[in-house]
Amino acid sequence: MDASVEAAVADAHRREWAFVLAATVRVTGDIDLAEECVQEAYARALTTWPDQGVPARPGAWLTTVARRRAIDLLRRNATHERVLPQLVGTGDDAPDVPGAPGSIDDDRLRLIFTCCHPALAPESQVALTLRLVCGLTTSEVARLFLVQEATMAARITRAKKKIAAARIPYRVPAADELPARIDAVLTVVHLVFTTGHTAPAGSDLVRTDLVERALHLSRMLRSLLPEDPDVAGVLALILLTDARRPSRTSADGTLTLLPDQDRSQWDADEIAEGLALVREALGRRPPGRFALMAAIAAVHAEAPTWSSTDWAELVGLYDLLVRIWPSPVVSLNRAVAIGFADGPAEGLAALDALAAEPQLATYGYLASARADFLRRLGRHDEAAAAYRRALALTDNAVEAEFLAARLAESEREARPAS
Amino acid sequence: MAEYLVLIYEDESAMEQADPSAWQTMMDGHMAFGEKHGASMRGGNALQPAGTATSIRGDGAGGFTITDGAFAETKEALGGYYLLEAADLDEAIALAKEIPAAFGGVEVRPVRPLG
């Protein structure tokens, strides 16, 4: 097999999967059948392209092959009188022509909105999006979320069954519903990103594959919904956060936090693109939560050093964010910003006001943020206790190693027990 | 088109303790819903409180166990239902949002066509 053909098929898989599947679903009216046909089209590409060359428009080629296969199978099914339940919204008026401007883009959006329908459980929305929009196999999705393949397969099957049985429509929502539904989609994309940015468990800090899927999804959304400020906000947030990736772990794999990161390693292109998008996202008043989160990331991206960070600006942004998106985690980040703007005692007081939040009871960052302020206040005994607590709450090996080092440092500083 | 059974679950004790005007508001809400969406309405009714329920379970050998009470004891009890016709889940959810359920909420279940 010619390596360049294999690479072309892999590239077409990454870039065009959603395009090809979305267009094929319109023909089949059934997600499973469409997936089968699209998989066959990619398999056909592997055997055909070495002889005939890689087509100029691989997506159109794959769509044609997948649709032809679907029509074949549907004809055969019709003779066997096995009629599939039609996905709602696929048999309607708009028969699209492959390559017609607008119609195909529309199909990809239909697919995304169906996968991220609020009637599906959040973990199913994420799984379906990675499986159907990104084209990952069930075992790949299972590995990304560290669950058994059988568990993930059952989750995906259950979600697909619900789409068919409850008639979740294959449609771009009406204008009045659109903002809420876009928010649901962006929540899924953001969750994919945060899961990859700091993996909840495992030996690596970052799951690069998840980060790249999130970036790919948000770029796709940006091209499909270029006017939407929240879409711009999510893409900006992901770019500005991901720009720090090279400096987050040192050469020996240990965690480096924001204050100690080598900012010259930050990805300047991602930052430039992200900053332009933030300005666009903030253009709408009042700004949405992703625009504000991106603006917070932008404050860090623009500071040449940790000590020159504009903490007052950050506290102001967190104040706005807490108002439109009240969550204990946002309040926690706000408290940390206060600690740097006004001093560790003020930060500690703001953190302790959150101690009773049940959602934060098992959230390691509360304990590690307290530990950090206690350490800066010279209260090393208490800092050590907080580091111990944070350590007990993380399953990520890189984070654990970092916290263990800080704990040892605090224990050394603490007065010996009398 | 498809049919959806919308089950109304509400907190019975909160309803009993509520002000009579809240009761009136609820009844007015149901009347208004029925008038506005008569075309989608395939049926619907209110139920007597869960305390009046009787559960019957076959033992698989021809016998039955009859017990006092609903199948599942929950804080919010099934108190009424609508059978609605809608094109898809989005339309059914839009209708369900208009059903008054100040003391709880509603569950939308697609009807499985048989035969």
Side-chain angles (χ1 to χ4, degrees):
Chain A
M1 167 74 54
D2 186 348
S4 72
V5 169
E6 226 170 305
V9 175
D11 190 56
H13 194 276
R14 211 167 30 247
R15 287 171 197 273
E16 314 274 14
W17 174 273
F19 173 97
V20 180
L21 180 67
T24 309
V25 169
R26 280 290 287 278
V27 172
T28 61
D30 176 90
I31 292 173
D32 280 327
L33 179 61
E35 269 190 288
E36 202 183 307
C37 297
V38 172
Q39 260 147 15
E40 280 180 36
Y42 277 96
R44 183 90 64 84
L46 278 173
T47 57
T48 312
W49 293 1
D51 298 332
Q52 299 179 0
V54 177
R57 293 172 57 231
W61 188 94
L62 289 157
T63 305
T64 307
V65 172
R67 285 180 154 200
R68 221 177 267 156
R69 178 77 184 135
I71 289 163
D72 245 29
L73 286 173
L74 286 171
R75 272 202 205 114
R76 213 172 299 167
N77 275 344
T79 57
H80 287 82
E81 289 177 27
R82 230 190 70 209
V83 181
L84 292 158
Q86 282 286 303
L87 197 56
V88 188
T90 50
D92 65 11
D93 32 60
D96 60 350
V97 184
S103 61
I104 298 290
D105 287 354
D106 217 79
D107 277 341
R108 264 186 299 175
L109 273 181
R110 284 166 187 250
L111 185 64
I112 293 168
F113 280 116
T114 304
C115 291
C116 301
H117 196 281
L120 299 170
E123 66 271 22
S124 302
Q125 294 178 30
V126 173
L128 275 185
T129 301
L130 289 171
R131 171 73 200 258
L132 299 178
V133 184
C134 298
L136 269 60
T137 64
T138 301
S139 79
E140 285 173 321
V141 180
R143 230 175 308 131
L144 291 177
F145 288 94
L146 309 166
V147 301
Q148 296 291 317
E149 185 174 345
T151 309
M152 187 52 79
R155 187 181 294 173
I156 290 173
T157 304
R158 198 165 54 236
K160 283 181 181 167
K161 266 195 191 139
K162 180 162 184 185
I163 290 173
R167 296 167 68 93
I168 289 178
Y170 191 64
R171 180 195 301 142
V172 175
D176 59 330
E177 282 177 76
L178 201 55
R181 293 289 306 277
I182 289 177
D183 190 71
V185 171
L186 297 178
T187 302
V188 166
V189 175
H190 186 236
L191 185 66
V192 172
F193 175 71
T194 51
T195 309
H197 181 68
T198 302
S203 57
D204 294 327
L205 179 67
V206 181
R207 306 291 309 271
T208 312
D209 35 13
L210 273 178
V211 168
E212 270 157 16
R213 294 298 172 177
L215 202 50
H216 172 80
L217 279 168
S218 46
R219 284 202 190 281
M220 186 192 298
L221 286 167
R222 171 76 180 161
S223 73
L224 296 173
L225 300 163
E227 308 286 318
D228 191 278
D230 293 320
V231 171
V234 159
L235 180 54
L237 174 61
I238 292 178
L239 286 167
L240 291 169
T241 313
D242 188 50
R244 298 179 213 142
R245 198 196 316 169
S247 63
R248 289 178 66 219
T249 43
S250 57
D252 59 359
T254 53
L255 177 64
T256 310
L257 291 189
L258 200 47
D260 306 317
Q261 287 176 10
D262 173 4
R263 296 182 179 219
S264 68
Q265 288 182 30
W266 288 1
D267 187 318
D269 291 339
E270 281 193 323
I271 289 175
E273 189 185 355
L275 290 177
L277 286 162
V278 169
R279 278 188 283 278
E280 192 183 320
L282 290 173
R284 190 190 53 195
R285 298 281 154 184
R289 78 181 148 115
F290 290 118
L292 287 170
M293 287 161 76
I296 287 163
V299 171
H300 289 298
E302 284 183 308
T305 61
W306 171 256
S307 57
S308 59
T309 305
D310 188 345
W311 292 105
E313 171 79 11
L314 279 178
V315 173
L317 288 167
Y318 275 118
D319 283 343
L320 288 174
L321 186 56
V322 161
R323 219 170 299 155
I324 62 160
W325 191 254
S327 101
V329 175
V330 174
S331 299
L332 169 59
N333 288 325
R334 180 178 165 274
V336 171
I338 288 173
F340 288 106
D342 303 337
E346 282 74 9
L348 190 62
L351 283 177
D352 286 341
L354 301 169
E357 286 287 350
Q359 234 190 294
L360 295 179
T362 57
Y363 196 68
Y365 291 114
L366 176 58
S368 59
R370 282 195 77 239
D372 190 50
F373 287 142
L374 287 165
R375 179 178 62 90
R376 288 165 52 202
L377 288 167
R379 290 156 64 176
H380 296 291
D381 276 322
E382 291 165 87
Y387 279 125
R388 252 176 245 126
R389 171 141 187 79
L391 196 53
L393 291 172
T394 183
D395 285 321
N396 185 293
V398 178
E399 272 187 338
E401 194 186 332
F402 171 85
L403 291 167
R406 281 284 166 96
L407 171 60
E409 201 181 291
S410 293
E411 280 171 340
R412 270 198 306 278
E413 294 286 337
R415 282 165 301 157
S418 49
Chain B
M1 293 301 262
E3 284 185 334
Y4 293 86
L5 185 66
V6 183
L7 304 156
I8 305 168
Y9 283 90
E10 291 187 282
D11 183 335
E12 290 184 349
S13 61
M15 281 170 90
E16 276 163 30
Q17 287 156 25
D19 193 79
S21 72
W23 185 263
Q24 192 56 49
T25 306
M26 182 175 76
M27 293 316 291
D28 292 348
H30 281 290
M31 291 295 287
F33 179 76
E35 278 168 29
K36 184 171 169 195
H37 297 295
S40 308
M41 195 74 72
R42 293 291 166 270
N45 247 318
L47 302 178
Q48 296 286 358
T52 65
T54 307
S55 298
I56 301 147
R57 231 185 245 274
D59 63 5
F64 292 92
T65 311
I66 296 177
T67 46
D68 176 35
F71 241 84
E73 300 283 351
T74 49
K75 186 168 148 275
E76 278 136 347
L78 181 62
Y81 68 92
Y82 284 107
L83 184 61
L84 302 174
E85 193 175 71
D88 54 50
L89 185 63
D90 283 354
E91 199 178 303
I93 289 174
L95 287 168
K97 283 178 181 166
E98 293 188 39
I99 296 171
F103 302 95
V106 304
E107 176 182 322
V108 176
R109 289 284 288 272
V111 172
R112 183 203 288 191
L114 295 176

